[in-house]
Amino acid sequence: MRIAVVGSGIAGLSAAWRLSQRHEVVLFERDDRFGGHTHTHAVRHEGRDWRVDTGFIVHNPVHYPRLAALFEELGVTSRPTTMSFSVHRADGLEYNATTLDALFCQRRNLVSPRFLGMVADLVRFYREAPALLDGPGPGPTLGGYLALNGYGDAFRDDHLVPMASALWSSPPSRILDFPVRYLVAFMANHQMLQVRGRPQWRVVEGGSATYVERLRARWRVQERLRTPVHAVRRHDHGVQLLHADGIENFDHVVLACHSDQALALLERPDPRERAILGALPYQENDVILHTDARLLPRRRKAWAAWNAYVPGDPAAPCTVSYCMSLLQGLDTREPFVVTLNRTGAIDPSRVLQRMRYAHPVYTAASVSARARAHEIQGLHRTWFAGAYWGWGFHEDGIRSGEQVAAQIEAGATRRLEVVA
């Protein structure tokens, strides 16, 4: 069969890789590179050449089994990293949740009722939250759950919301509307509701784009870089793609772009496609790679891999700075930092790259829509792949791409059996 894949993030890459082993696959990418959120930059700094990631950064074999299997298949190597987390507020509060010494890097917090209450609530949340997984229905929002169970403002505003905001690159106000059971399910799945026994996180040696380079060196895929698709037209016997270079016919199309982008491409969307994809919104984030250490906590002891900043305005966008020198083990005098949504605070002379990344937004409506994916997969020979069908992370993307490829392959096998 002839199959089009639109979008070259992890979902599109994995679908194209699997399908190309038995079918003719054409991969369309509007950008001038493949990879989507797998984005590694070649940087000349301090007289040396570096490869610095700004999108997909970390994984571990326990929670990313499909990705780990792909890396093994491609011979991609990785190294251990830290997943430490810190919070610093505009009014001066700083802490790093990794060790007791770093947690109380501001010694005055040893006698702060607010701070000690936050730590007590943290321990209580780890103990009580798993019970949510046994409850019926969608459950309350995160904000509703915290209020109903008497959790303090400090735990909410200085820890849980900044952490979740950093994980999903979402504004704090939207995090409070997040379905709490969905959040707890993610944390339980990733062993985040425990102090000990957490998995060892890893980063790809040489930058995450290494696996994209290995895929491209081995696959049989027709690559169409800088070729945006304008529309998808479906008919009884196939699919037409209208793109920058003309019109092409395919047996199937895999839309491995964001849900809102996929819906916009459909010339005549089915009401089910409109309802389901329309309930899966995205949020854009301004992302800067830079060397301005002022975006990290003031105290070096508080520096962590993930550094959430709390500006004091709950309606403000997510503001988090990833210390890439720590995460990727880059031995630099000045740290490489990736900061979301705090561009105005960065010294312009220290900016290395500017990006705009979009991330899925999670609400009760979007969680319900995800459960209806089966209603539109394969409808009119059209398939939808993306991390947005899961928690929005790399493993969700590769799972989605591989599942779509398997479903298309299963359909092709059944047709051959009928013909035989």
Side-chain angles (χ1 to χ4, degrees):
M1 293 189 297
R2 192 164 193 258
I3 303 169
V5 177
V6 180
S8 70
I10 181 59
L13 292 172
S14 58
W17 170 244
R18 299 305 175 197
L19 289 167
S20 66
Q21 294 168 19
R22 293 190 58 180
H23 304 282
E24 179 186 352
V25 174
V26 183
L27 177 60
F28 292 87
E29 172 53 58
R30 67 181 181 182
D31 206 344
D32 60 359
R33 64 175 182 87
F34 289 117
H37 283 203
T38 301
H39 199 176
T40 304
H41 303 266
V43 176
R44 182 73 177 175
H45 182 64
E46 297 179 356
R48 296 176 61 186
D49 294 318
W50 309 90
R51 281 167 61 89
V52 187
D53 290 331
T54 57
F56 162 62
I57 302 169
V58 296
H59 70 285
N60 70 70
V62 176
H63 303 119
Y64 291 66
R66 291 175 184 258
L67 189 65
L70 177 65
F71 287 175
E72 184 174 356
E73 185 179 357
L74 298 174
V76 173
T77 59
S78 63
R79 63 181 300 276
T81 188
T82 174
M83 277 291 279
S84 52
F85 174 70
S86 81
V87 172
H88 54 130
R89 279 194 340 218
D91 63 5
L93 173 72
E94 294 184 349
Y95 71 87
N96 180 331
T98 309
T99 66
L100 276 177
D101 185 39
L103 181 66
F104 292 100
C105 61
Q106 290 179 309
R107 296 309 191 212
R108 67 174 182 265
N109 289 330
L110 284 165
V111 293
S112 165
R114 177 183 172 89
F115 193 85
L116 295 175
M118 180 195 77
V119 175
D121 276 346
L122 171 62
V123 174
R124 181 162 73 94
F125 185 80
Y126 283 1
R127 184 178 65 251
E128 296 178 350
L132 284 164
L133 302 178
D134 300 324
T141 64
L142 175 61
Y145 173 82
L146 295 176
L148 182 64
N149 289 275
Y151 285 93
D153 293 352
F155 173 66
R156 182 192 63 206
D157 299 336
D158 299 342
H159 183 78
L160 189 59
V161 169
M163 181 192 68
S165 183
L167 280 171
W168 280 280
S169 304
S170 181
S173 56
R174 285 191 173 176
I175 288 297
L176 291 172
D177 293 330
F178 202 104
V180 68
R181 185 169 296 125
Y182 204 66
L183 170 66
V184 171
F186 172 84
M187 295 180 72
N189 181 71
H190 286 69
Q191 297 171 275
M192 295 173 66
L193 296 173
Q194 57 198 60
V195 177
R196 296 179 177 84
R198 293 186 176 185
Q200 174 64 65
W201 289 86
R202 307 184 70 85
V203 292
V204 176
E205 291 277 14
S208 61
T210 299
Y211 84 82
V212 182
E213 296 158 5
R214 296 285 178 87
L215 271 178
R216 295 181 65 194
R218 294 178 57 176
W219 68 14
R220 296 178 299 162
V221 172
Q222 297 179 38
E223 299 180 349
R224 304 284 182 84
L225 276 173
R226 296 177 291 278
T227 309
V229 173
H230 302 311
V232 175
R233 182 178 298 158
R234 284 88 61 87
H235 51 81
D236 291 342
H237 305 293
V239 181
Q240 282 188 332
L241 261 65
L242 288 67
H243 56 76
D245 296 330
I247 301 175
E248 284 189 68
N249 294 304
F250 297 90
D251 296 298
H252 293 269
V253 61
V254 178
L255 295 179
C257 43
H258 297 162
S259 49
D260 54 349
Q261 296 170 335
L263 180 58
L265 288 176
L266 299 178
E267 195 167 78
R268 295 176 61 186
D270 182 279
R272 288 166 291 181
E273 293 170 330
R274 193 182 299 278
I276 294 169
L277 296 174
L280 301 171
Y282 268 73
Q283 166 77 39
E284 280 207 339
N285 292 284
D286 194 27
V287 182
I288 305 293
L289 171 61
H290 62 92
T291 59
D292 191 345
R294 295 177 306 155
L295 276 291
L296 299 174
R298 188 171 65 84
R299 293 163 179 80
R300 185 66 178 259
K301 191 179 290 186
W303 285 16
W306 296 38
N307 303 272
Y309 175 71
V310 181
D313 178 6
C318 160
T319 53
V320 59
S321 291
Y322 305 92
C323 184
M324 298 310 303
S325 293
L326 285 176
L327 280 160
Q328 291 187 259
L330 306 177
D331 184 19
T332 57
R333 181 176 57 84
E334 297 177 331
F336 287 119
V337 182
V338 173
T339 295
L340 273 67
N341 302 322
R342 206 176 163 207
T343 303
I346 302 170
D347 182 345
S349 68
R350 293 184 173 274
V351 171
L352 301 173
Q353 295 286 345
R354 299 173 183 267
M355 291 73 60
R356 293 281 290 179
Y357 295 142
H359 300 85
V361 174
Y362 290 82
T363 63
S366 71
V367 170
S368 297
R370 284 173 178 85
R372 299 177 58 195
H374 63 280
E375 296 181 27
I376 60 174
Q377 290 291 19
L379 193 65
H380 308 304
R381 298 171 177 261
T382 306
W383 305 81
F384 304 93
Y388 61 85
W389 289 123
W391 281 304
F393 295 90
H394 233 57
E395 182 70 8
D396 302 296
I398 190 172
R399 180 186 300 109
S400 176
E402 290 185 346
Q403 286 177 344
V404 162
Q407 289 174 295
I408 294 174
E409 188 62 43
T413 301
R414 285 196 297 270
R415 284 191 293 274
L416 286 174
E417 291 173 348
V418 169
V419 172

